[in-house]
Amino acid sequence: KQWYQRRVAITAGGAVTGKSGLLNLYFVVVLIVVILEIVVIILGIVRKADFVEATEEKAEELFDNYKSHYVVDNGDIDADVALAVNTAQFVFECCGLVDGPSWWKTNGNTQVPPGCCSEWGGEDLPASGLMTCAETTYDVGCTQKVNDMADEFGVVIIVVMVVIIVFELLCLIAACYSKKQEMVA
């Protein structure tokens, strides 16, 4: 916030006092910010697959850890990992990594983690780490749900960034015009 206030102060100072040095500084700072924003957008688009792959690998590790502890063979699991898996499922309204509740139903298991149930609400986990949902069991896998959300909000984020860049470019044009008017006068 302070950086933004300084940027506004530089702009206002340059425009009010008519000092071209401040307008030049403003122009350079905003131009650098615009270039960095464009680079971030391009990297976000080009490297999206790498980001998706890395997050899917980490999610698979967490979900497999939970599954091996509660469903398969009582492996070791940290309480924070168990809570993270359930909270993710509850917040994103999904169940399992893929294929919804059927992802958990292996080795004769018929129950799901509490995060798959709409009634869970985030309270303590049952000792078994699994339960039968009394109300709704989320039926979409978390990988699909998160990918859908990323696609939906990714477009919104890009549009907002483009609008900000256009505004900043208009500010740069105004600074150039102001400086040109000063030279003519």
Side-chain angles (χ1 to χ4, degrees), residues 14-185:
V16 171
T17 63
K19 300 214 184 236
S20 64
L22 289 177
L23 284 173
N24 290 340
L25 179 61
Y26 169 75
F27 184 86
V28 169
V29 168
V30 173
L31 185 61
I32 290 170
V33 169
V34 168
I35 291 169
L36 289 174
E37 289 170 341
I38 292 170
V39 167
V40 166
I41 289 173
I42 291 170
L43 284 175
I45 292 169
V46 171
R47 304 290 303 235
K48 180 184 176 188
D50 294 340
F51 175 75
V52 168
E53 182 181 334
T55 54
E56 285 179 357
E57 284 176 11
K58 189 62 178 171
E60 185 174 356
E61 179 183 317
L62 290 172
F63 277 69
D64 283 345
N65 192 357
Y66 192 97
K67 190 175 187 178
S68 77
H69 179 74
Y70 289 114
V71 179
V72 180
D73 62 7
N74 284 342
D76 291 332
I77 190 167
D78 185 25
D80 292 337
V81 171
L83 186 60
V85 168
N86 281 290
T87 301
Q89 291 177 123
F90 184 72
V91 168
F92 292 115
E93 296 181 356
C94 58
C95 187
L97 204 53
V98 292
D99 300 329
S102 62
W103 193 80
W104 296 109
K105 296 181 179 180
T106 57
N107 292 350
N109 175 51
T110 58
Q111 296 181 313
V112 294
C116 291
C117 305
S118 62
E119 73 267 10
W120 178 55
E123 64 272 359
D124 293 333
L125 299 174
S128 70
L130 301 169
M131 63 186 273
T132 301
C133 299
E135 295 177 18
T136 305
T137 302
Y138 303 127
D139 59 354
V140 177
C142 292
T143 302
Q144 181 63 45
K145 188 77 169 195
V146 172
N147 283 338
D148 290 347
M149 289 177 70
D151 289 342
E152 179 182 335
F153 291 114
V155 171
V156 172
I157 290 169
I158 289 172
V159 167
V160 168
M161 287 188 74
V162 167
V163 168
I164 290 170
I165 290 170
V166 167
F167 175 75
E168 289 171 336
L169 290 173
L170 290 173
C171 290
L172 290 176
I173 292 168
C176 288
Y177 179 76
S178 174
K179 187 172 178 182
K180 184 177 180 183
Q181 291 298 358
E182 176 187 306
M183 291 178 159
V184 171

